[in-house]
Amino acid sequence: MNLRNQRRMAAEILKCGANRVWINPDKTEDIAGCITRADIRTAIASDSIKAKTKNSTSYGRIRYAQGQKAKGKRKGPGSKKGTDNARISEKRKWISTIRPIRDELKTLRSEGKITPSVYRLYYNRAKGGVYRSRRNLRAHISSTGNLKEGS
């Protein structure tokens, strides 16, 4: 049974390609009798004719990879493209280093564990990039004997 004309009209009505038009195999005789667009619209309304879903790229593999990356996997040197600076800018790295150090200095000063003059000295050194982390800063302060523990 040739339903080419019906398929063509259905494609135009459904706004899809002829290959995406699905015709119910049990109702081919009824659809063969559909010769006007109104008949085709009626067949569409009764679900004798439908538009198949679009074939799209599966997102499953991407979701899996994102899950792995969330766990910290698939991030080794072989997966990296670009310089370190391209991934995280030098400014961002500096900000994430200096903020905790300055925060630690403020805490020590407010608790009275270091004097304001010692605070200023270490603040300026931190600004010069002498300390890598809070722990490194504390180690320097305590090794020079500027940290008052009993306050």
Side-chain angles (χ1 to χ4, degrees):
M1 190 176 301
N2 190 358
L3 300 173
R4 189 182 293 164
N5 207 31
Q6 286 82 347
R7 187 178 290 275
R8 178 188 57 77
M9 284 193 287
E12 286 177 21
I13 293 164
L14 293 167
K15 293 185 172 64
C16 68
N19 289 335
R20 267 185 63 208
V21 173
W22 175 82
I23 297 171
N24 190 338
D26 300 335
K27 300 189 178 176
T28 49
E29 286 84 25
D30 300 342
I31 294 165
C34 298
I35 54 170
T36 64
R37 285 172 186 270
D39 295 338
I40 296 291
R41 281 193 197 93
T42 310
I44 290 168
S46 67
D47 285 343
S48 298
I49 298 174
K50 294 180 188 176
K52 291 181 197 169
T53 56
K54 280 186 179 176
N55 290 334
S56 58
T57 310
S58 168
Y59 209 68
R61 286 183 298 279
I62 295 165
R63 251 186 242 112
Y64 174 76
Q66 284 172 340
Q68 292 288 81
K69 283 183 180 179
K71 292 178 192 172
K73 306 201 172 184
R74 304 172 75 139
K75 289 186 172 184
S79 303
K80 292 182 181 180
K81 289 187 175 180
T83 61
D84 284 347
N85 192 33
R87 291 170 78 86
I88 302 170
S89 72
E90 283 172 18
K91 182 174 181 174
R92 275 276 137 218
K93 278 185 210 160
W94 172 249
I95 289 169
S96 62
T97 303
I98 197 69
R99 281 182 182 171
I101 292 170
R102 284 179 176 167
D103 181 55
E104 185 71 18
L105 282 168
K106 283 173 197 158
T107 308
L108 291 171
R109 183 184 59 181
S110 66
E111 290 173 357
K113 292 186 178 178
I114 56 172
T115 61
S117 59
V118 171
Y119 166 84
R120 184 53 50 199
L121 173 76
Y122 283 97
Y123 185 95
N124 286 329
R125 284 184 184 172
K127 185 178 179 181
V130 176
Y131 311 112
R132 294 186 305 274
S133 62
R134 282 176 195 258
R135 180 183 285 181
N136 187 234
L137 170 73
R138 265 188 172 270
H140 273 260
I141 296 172
S142 59
S143 69
T144 55
N146 287 319
L147 191 65
K148 295 180 229 163
E149 283 300 329
S151 298

